[in-house]
Amino acid sequence: MALLVEVGWGGLVQAPSTITWTDISQYVNIAQKVTITRGAADELSDTQPGTASLVLDNADGRFTPGNSGSPYYPYVRRNAPIRIAVAIIPTRSGSAPYPLAMLGDDFDDDRVNAALWPNNYGGATETGSRMRVPVTPGTNAGFLTAREWTLTGSKLTAKLVTLPGANGSSSAVASMWVNSTTSGTRLGWRYNAITGQISAESQTGFFDGTAVTFTYSAIDHAWLRVRESGGTVYWESSGDGFGWTVRRTLATPSWVTSQTLTVEFPTARTGGTADYVEWDLVGATVRPRFYGMVNEWPVDWEGLLSSVRITCTDLFKRLNRLPALRSMVAEEILAQAPLVYYPLSEDSASTTAGDIGGNGAPSLGISQSGVGGTLTLSSAEGPPETGEQAPVFTPTSATVGKWLSADLGPQFEDSTTLYLCFEAWFQTTTTGRCIMGVHSTDLQYQHLLSISAGGGLQIEWTSDGSPLTVEAVSGPTTLTNGAWHHVVYDQREGKVWIDGVLVDSALAVPRGFYERVLHVGGYRNTRLWSGSIAHAAVYATQSTSAGPTAATHYTAGMTGYAGEDADVRIQRLARYAGLSSVTIAGSTFDPIASQGPGGSGVVARMREVEATESARLFAERDWYGLAFQSRDVRYNPDPVSETFTIAYADLETRGVELADDDQKLVNSIEASRPGGATQKVTAPASILAFGVYDPGTLSILKTSDNSVLDAAYWRVSRYANPQPELREVPIEAYTMPNYLDILDADISSYFSVTGMPAQAPASSVRSTVEGYTETIGERSHLIQFHTSTTNNDSVWVLDDPTYSVLDSTTRLAY
């Protein structure tokens, strides 16, 4: 096993695809061990932010923040991305020929392993815990095995750590080859330092006319692999040694299956200046253990010896730092990156309304026409599911009163060389008034959205300063009924959506206006709005249309997306937090009620969904992402799908405990939902035996009373009489032959402990992983699994010998 610790100096943890990782493993003080925590203590607790702690050797000050002499300066700073993995190095067993998957070397002792590499040449060495091969003018160099390997059904993997430079040469290459018995017939990867390209090649006579070539990326091609399976050779690359991308495939050459092979890492250079290539972790199988950010870099001294003990937290640290969410309408608009966005939800004492689009646009100020009329912010209820107030415009007449306006400046004017898309909510009972409009400072260009005398929507415009052209919008003429309505007008497409429905797609309005003065609730002293306007936004669109997406904001304001499934809601909330995707596991997801109003953080909202679904939400351990598991992921675990099994005798037996207490017991529970009934479910037999155990009211975001009842029954049926269970299972994983299987265990995985002592209620106990604490040391990897019994998630299956046992496994699925 090799510990692999990498830091993304200067990178942003929220932009993982742009991070170039630097291996700092050699500076980790493994004697003081690396500790990682993940998941929850039990199935009834929330998963906690994952953490990692480790100590780094700081003898040369490289990990001292602000040290200009550090090779990482100025990026030794808080929140630096970090990832931790273990690389399992294979060993040879049996007799030759060996499968190439057994060729493994971590180069950690700075001595060439002569048994693996008996034919090194040209000054190739093991230096700095890496394979180092000189790239010297006129001299070939390389690491070379004996002819004792096979590729069929196997693989060769290596990490490319240090690239050679062009250095004035006409040719400079470094390669990883699997060699046949015929000189020049080989396959593998080849890096060309002159072109900066890497190629997947199958050569005959030292040439491949169909080689697949890429520009080398330290992000995407840090790891390289050749693999044979089922008659096909695969060339694959990876950024972390765990997730692989196929770059080329080829029908397996006949020599691959008929010959015993050698492996070679050669170099060659013509002219120029010498340097070297470095490879590492040949044959390693990587298992990620942590992905997150460094909280701080505290420097400690013991005499003149310096170290840095860092603690790290996964992405929940960033999510928990995010400000409280605004309403779903606001979050949807912000996610679409408007040029300007005025929610118009300021306090009633305010006299201006601010832009929160993030582009620094000025506030809208109150403009007055004539004498009289009022405009009071925060004086009416906004769209139903926003939980926000809206302004009330009360003019004396169409030309006497107040409206909002601002000169948005040259930055906005430059943006309007693109097409514009307008969005707003409004309510009124008055016809012939203006919702919003923009114009250039010389009034040559003007563009308005207004209500016609007949109560429908109309678009008004000019591009030459002439009187406004009015174009009626096909659609409802009942927009002055006092109800909230939503409008989106996409100039690029000539389309209008009203209340989420496309009502016109053939507007003949010129495009590409140069405008900068915005009016809301009136237009240049006339057509003053009577009623309310909210969430006014303007987008710039060019190659794609903004309208279809903006039109969905109607549902956000009217229903808060009530009724969408829980997995869709989680992905929506993740998008508000800047996460592009969530790994969804399982298929049982109920409709979720509205979470429209703002005020709570994104994690709190996700937890509401998680609790409603009896689901599991946690951070991934191999990348910057979330995982959301449906409750059905745990239904009726199949022994064939167990992550691993382990004999009780192989456990670190101190700390193994079979618990049988009332910690989880629930036999009476009240449950409710927003706008629904409060209902109660009990387990009379449990109450008779143990007394009442009531955890308090379960408030969940269901959309029907029946769903609430199902959720309450699910809780009581699982915990009315909890069975004895193992809650802590410590395993010294490093010493186990199924080490990789143990490392694959994650939240909701399950495994069996066999050969239980005679005092146990059964000879085998199956447990579900809720979380774990792992401690990685020199030739040691202790994992303390926090577990629950898998029986809690058994559900009834008709006529099944295991899952239809009366009063035992006849729990109805939820």
Side-chain angles (χ1 to χ4, degrees), residues 466-484:
S466 60
L468 295 172
T469 297
V470 179
E471 184 160 358
V473 173
S474 300
T477 57
T478 55
L479 301 180
T480 56
N481 58 1
W484 277 105

Side-chain angles (χ1 to χ4, degrees), residues 759-779:
Q759 300 86 354
S763 61
S764 178
V765 177
R766 185 178 294 162
S767 296
T768 300
V769 176
E770 306 298 345
Y772 55 80
T773 299
E774 57 186 317
T775 305
I776 305 170
E778 186 70 39
R779 302 179 67 82

Side-chain angles (χ1 to χ4, degrees), residues 38 64 134 195 240 266 346 405 457 537-538 543 619 682-683 718 736 745:
R38 178 170 173 76
T64 300
T195 64
D240 59 4
E346 280 82 0
S405 64
L457 186 73
V538 181
S543 59
T682 63
R718 295 166 77 204
M736 299 302 299

Side-chain angles (χ1 to χ4, degrees), residues 274-327:
D275 57 6
Y276 54 82
V277 63
E278 289 182 320
W279 300 86
D280 198 4
L281 300 173
V282 169
T285 299
V286 175
R287 288 295 183 267
R289 309 310 298 166
F290 179 83
Y291 190 110
M293 61 195 83
V294 180
N295 298 328
E296 59 176 337
W297 300 86
V299 180
D300 294 328
W301 285 271
E302 185 174 340
L304 296 179
L305 297 177
S306 177
S307 63
V308 174
R309 181 181 296 274
I310 60 173
T311 58
C312 317
T313 310
D314 66 20
L315 71 82
F316 273 101
K317 175 183 179 181
R318 181 170 182 271
L319 297 184
N320 282 319
R321 287 202 319 267
L322 295 176
L325 292 177
R326 292 177 173 270
S327 66

Side-chain angles (χ1 to χ4, degrees), residues 201-226:
E201 301 190 19
S202 178
Q203 293 187 348
T204 300
F206 299 102
F207 177 73
D208 180 0
T210 60
V212 178
T213 301
F214 317 88
T215 298
Y216 177 80
S217 164
I219 296 174
D220 298 324
H221 308 134
W223 290 78
L224 301 173
R225 182 167 77 179
V226 289

